[in-house]
Amino acid sequence: MTRRRMRSRPSWWLALLEAAVVMPWVALALRLRGYAGTVRWAAGSSPGRPAPHAGAPPPVPVLVVTSAVTVVAGRRPRGTCLPRAVTILWMTRRRGHHVELFMGVSEPIGGTLPAHAWVEYGGQPLNDTADVRERYQVLPLPPTGH
C-alpha cells in the first residue's frame, strides 16, 4: 500500500492521533517503570492471536499503525527507537495482531555500544530495513507474550 493511499484512510489519522498520545507516555513509562514493566504492559494488550507464519505479509492495520508511529517518532528528538517499537507493539496488539519486539547491538564505535529496537511481523521488520538482523546482533529478551 502506498503512503499516499494509507494517509487517505481515516484509520491512519486516528492511529496518528493515538500514537501522538501514547508514544510520549511510553517514553515516560520506560524511564519510570523500566523496560520490563513497560513491555509487559504493552504486550499484555495481546488478544492471544497466534503468531503469523514466517513471511506472512503484514495486514493493513499493522501497516497503518507502523506508518503513523513512524511519523510521530520522526517529530521527536533522537533516541526514539525503543519508545517507537514499544508503541507499535502496544497499538498493533491492541488491534489484535501479533508482533514481536527485538533489540540488538552492533560493534562498539568510539567507546559506545550501538543498540537498536524494532518490531517484526512474521519475521519481517516493520519499522526498519530488511537487513536489520545483519546490522545488529539480536539480544535474547524475555518473551513479550500474553
Side-chain angles (χ1 to χ4, degrees), residues 18 21-30 33-47 82-83 85-94 101 143-146:
E18 183 178 7
V21 171
V22 172
M23 192 170 171
W25 188 93
V26 167
L28 181 62
L30 284 164
R33 297 177 68 191
Y35 170 82
T38 304
V39 171
R40 205 171 20 257
W41 162 79
S45 57
S46 173
L82 184 56
V86 173
T87 301
I88 292 170
L89 175 71
W90 184 78
M91 288 177 65
T92 54
R93 291 231 175 151
R94 195 171 152 266
L101 175 67
T144 57
H146 326 340

Side-chain angles (χ1 to χ4, degrees), residues 81-82 84-85 100-107 114-139:
C81 68
L82 184 56
R84 177 180 63 186
E100 293 182 80
L101 175 67
F102 289 89
M103 291 181 69
V105 294
S106 64
E107 292 293 320
H116 184 52
W118 68 95
V119 178
E120 294 183 4
Y121 181 89
Q124 300 173 62
L126 293 173
N127 59 324
D128 206 316
T129 58
D131 69 342
V132 67
R133 287 176 177 251
E134 295 169 20
R135 294 181 287 120
Y136 292 92
Q137 176 66 40
V138 176
L139 296 173

Side-chain angles (χ1 to χ4, degrees), residues 65-91:
V65 164
T66 302
S67 173
V69 172
T70 300
V71 167
V72 171
R75 307 259 188 258
R76 296 183 52 84
R78 291 188 48 182
T80 61
C81 68
L82 184 56
R84 177 180 63 186
V86 173
T87 301
I88 292 170
L89 175 71
W90 184 78
M91 288 177 65

Side-chain angles (χ1 to χ4, degrees), residues 5-16:
R5 276 189 64 208
M6 192 172 310
R7 290 184 179 185
S8 69
R9 295 171 159 268
S11 62
W12 186 84
W13 291 99
L14 291 172
L16 184 71

